[in-house]
Structure formats: C-alpha cells, structure tokens
Amino acid sequence: MTDDAAAAPTCLARPLPGPDENGIGCAAARGVDGRPLHAAALKFFWGPMDCGKSTMALQMNYNHARQGRRGLVTTRIDRSLGPQVTSRIGLAHSAVEVTDSLDLRTLVRDTWAEGVRVDYLICDEASFYNVEHVEQMAELVDGYDVDVYAFGLATDFRSCLFPAAQRLFELADEVARIQIEVLCWCGREGLLNARVVDGRVVREGAQVVIGDTADSAEVRYQVRYQVLCRRHYRSGDLGPRS
Ligand SMILES: [Zn+2]
C-alpha cells in the first residue's frame, strides 16, 4: 500500500465508530478478549525530504474526516516552526505540537474528556518524536482502538535511522515507503538527506538542525539539506548547480 488512495478503503471499510456508554469512543463488535474485532492499526509512511509526506498526511486527514471520522493532527518541527502542518505545495492544517513532555495518550484522553471523539491520529514529522511517543502510539492502537498514521523521514543526515523511525519500523503494523520520487541532481532516485554547511556535505553534528536559520548573529554559516542518491551522498557531490 503506497498512497492514501490505496490506504483509505482499508480504513474506511471498518465500521464507523459510534458512541459507547459514555457517548464517545468506539462501539464496534468485540472478540473474546474484549477488544474490537476490527483492530486499529499503526502505520508508518516514510520517505526522504520533499517527497510529499506532509501533503499525504493532510490528504489522509481530509479523506478520513470526509467519511465522518474524527482525528487529531500532531507535528514536531514543521517547516513553518509553528503548531501546524504545512506542505510545500501550499496546504496547511492546525496541529498539536509534540514536545518531550507531551503524552499522546493523555492528549487523546483529554480530548475525549471534552466530549470530542478521536478515531485516529495523524502524526507528521514523526521521526523527530521521542521513542516514548512511538510506544504511546502503539498503546493508542492496542488499548484505545485509535488508528495512528505516522509520517516521517527514515534516516538523518548521517544516513542513520532516527530513533523514533527505527521504533516505528519495529512496531508498526504496516510500513510503506512513499512512492513519489525525489530525484538527485544526476537524475537517479533521491534516497538520502544530506546536510550541507557552507556548500559542503557534513556527516557529523547534532541529529536535528533546522535548515535555513542563519539569521541569528551566532550562526555564521548556512545550513541546508539536499536529497541525493546514494552514490552522490557517499561522494559528497552536490552537482553542478551547488
Ligand atoms: Zn546522484
């Protein structure tokens, strides 16, 4: 399953949640263990920068909302640096900013307490979350019957897995590489996210450094990111226009 058009029917085939004895939650048929027969799922959609992850996250949210489902959108370090998910092609949606201290289970419980249903979570930029957040996502699926759709990078600028991405690969019911190709300058498929400082590929430093933030007086260099094929990531060749 590689895109939301393919993913949506599976999800929408589930019975729409109805009110339980508290007027919220899911009243689907239950198995002998008391859990709903139509299990929720944790899905991780990953790809390099610029492959349309946030666009897909917002499209998925739209598709589910249109069918009467209620969801929450979360993000961390969105390109807008605000509490919203924005996409390069101009879509935007308000979102809950995920912090170290935020517990996704508490977020859902608090929303339920306000009388608002939560059928699913859209977790954008999930590779920037903590590993604990991924554990909470699994708990939301298994214990709260909430679908969780996570979107993010797999690897950092060193080509190593982000801890949260690694945990998502380990725990998710379904993992899908986003199939919108991002091309390296050479025309090969872009695979890796290179960090470029002062025009050169760097391979050491903090795991998360936000690009294009050289306005501060302390920052004397320009940080940006460029998607490269493996060959040119390894050689550090940024192409003729760099
Ligand atoms: Zn290349």
Side-chain angles (χ1 to χ4, degrees):
M1 200 171 299
T2 56
D3 59 39
D4 58 281
T10 304
C11 307
L12 301 179
R14 298 173 52 217
L16 290 177
D20 61 13
E21 63 275 11
N22 300 315
I24 53 177
C26 180
R30 289 171 187 271
V32 292
D33 63 352
R35 309 305 312 165
L37 289 174
H38 295 276
L42 172 57
K43 300 184 181 182
F44 180 39
F45 301 92
W46 64 277
M49 298 182 319
D50 301 334
C51 76
K53 290 185 296 298
S54 295
T55 302
M56 183 172 165
L58 294 180
Q59 180 71 49
M60 182 170 280
N61 182 51
Y62 174 82
N63 290 356
H64 283 258
R66 193 175 55 184
Q67 296 299 326
R69 304 188 81 214
R70 299 285 288 269
L72 291 173
V73 179
T74 66
T75 191
R76 190 168 206 179
I77 322 177
D78 180 77
R79 64 179 60 79
S80 69
L81 299 183
Q84 59 179 347
V85 172
T86 58
S87 72
R88 282 182 173 77
I89 62 172
L91 301 173
H93 193 285
S94 60
V96 176
E97 179 78 17
V98 173
T99 60
D100 286 344
S101 60
L102 179 79
D103 187 320
L104 294 168
R105 298 164 299 184
T106 305
L107 173 67
V108 168
R109 277 200 302 265
D110 287 351
T111 308
W112 280 348
E114 294 167 6
V116 178
R117 232 174 55 214
V118 180
D119 302 318
Y120 62 91
L121 285 189
I122 302 276
C123 299
D124 198 31
E125 306 290 7
S127 41
F128 300 148
Y129 296 15
N130 297 342
V131 168
E132 291 73 23
H133 292 128
V134 180
E135 303 288 344
Q136 293 159 14
M137 293 178 198
E139 171 82 14
L140 281 170
V141 171
D142 295 337
Y144 294 64
D145 308 316
V146 171
D147 286 311
V148 179
Y149 307 119
F151 298 80
L153 305 169
T155 57
D156 64 14
F157 74 105
R158 302 166 304 166
S159 71
C160 298
L161 286 172
F162 282 97
Q166 178 182 337
R167 199 70 186 124
L168 280 162
F169 279 118
E170 292 163 346
L171 290 185
D173 296 291
E174 188 177 318
V175 172
R177 182 174 174 182
I178 294 173
Q179 294 296 313
I180 299 172
E181 288 192 358
V182 181
L183 299 183
C184 179
W185 59 267
C186 68
R188 291 185 184 85
E189 183 177 355
L191 184 67
L192 297 165
N193 309 293
R195 179 180 294 167
V196 182
V197 177
D198 285 341
R200 299 182 59 163
V201 173
V202 297
R203 305 176 195 279
E204 292 181 347
Q207 187 164 46
V208 176
V209 172
I210 300 164
D212 301 320
T213 55
D215 296 336
S216 156
E218 306 92 65
V219 180
R220 300 208 183 93
Y221 51 83
Q222 287 279 348
V223 177
R224 66 178 179 87
Y225 292 86
Q226 183 171 337
V227 177
L228 297 172
C229 70
R230 186 179 58 233
R231 174 181 307 215
H232 289 127
Y233 172 85
R234 297 183 71 240
S235 68
D237 189 342
L238 293 167
R241 284 184 295 171
S242 64

